[in-house]
């Protein structure tokens, strides 16, 4: 039942964000708005239903810290691809260390 609800909620929210992304320019935002927010909202909604608000607050905080680490990773990959002229594989593997260090560091610094 949990998977069915997640599928339905996720599908509805993906559709909603796809419509929003389709209205924005550039069109490359459509993919961004179609996936991550819908999965996060479906996960938080189901977590709230099963575990309550305190649990969801911890999950949401973790998602925020993960997104900051992902932004740092993305910036490093872009810089390595454009300025250092590294290959995509080499850039993503090198930046993976940045993502892990940022995520773990932010967790320990802000959450404990």
């Amino acid at each position: 039942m949990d998977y069915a609800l997640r599928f339905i909620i996720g599908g509805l929210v993906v559709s909603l964000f796809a419509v929003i992304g389709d209205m924005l320019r550039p069109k490359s935002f459509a993919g961004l708005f179609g996936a991550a927010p819908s999965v996060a909202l479906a996960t938080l909604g189901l977590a709230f239903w099963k575990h309550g608000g305190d649990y969801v607050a911890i999950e949401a905080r973790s998602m925020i810290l993960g997104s900051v680490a992902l932004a740092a990773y993305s910036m490093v990959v872009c810089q390595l691809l454009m300025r250092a002229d590294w290959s995509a594989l080499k850039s993503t593997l090198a930046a993976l260390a940045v993502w892990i260090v940022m995520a773990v560091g932010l967790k320990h610094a802000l959450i404990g």
Side-chain angles (χ1 to χ4, degrees):
M1 184 64 176
D2 201 32
Y3 289 117
L5 281 174
R6 194 176 296 219
F7 176 77
I8 292 169
I9 293 170
L12 290 173
V13 178
V14 164
S15 299
L16 175 70
F17 277 105
V19 169
I20 292 171
D22 196 39
M23 293 187 298
L24 297 175
R25 300 284 184 258
K27 290 295 182 190
S28 60
F29 282 134
L32 175 69
F33 283 107
S38 58
V39 172
L41 289 174
T43 300
L44 291 176
L46 289 171
F48 182 76
W49 182 51
K50 281 183 114 176
H51 302 287
D54 292 336
Y55 182 83
V56 171
I58 294 169
E59 289 294 316
R61 213 173 325 152
S62 299
M63 287 179 182
I64 292 169
L65 295 180
S67 67
V68 171
L70 177 62
Y73 163 85
S74 301
M75 289 183 353
V76 170
V77 167
C78 287
Q79 295 302 311
L80 291 174
L81 286 172
M82 292 187 298
R83 294 180 191 253
D85 201 30
W86 286 16
S87 69
L89 178 62
K90 190 176 173 182
S91 299
T92 55
L93 290 176
L96 189 60
V98 172
W99 190 356
I100 292 169
V101 168
M102 284 285 296
V104 172
L106 285 170
K107 182 204 176 285
H108 285 302
L110 299 176
I111 297 176

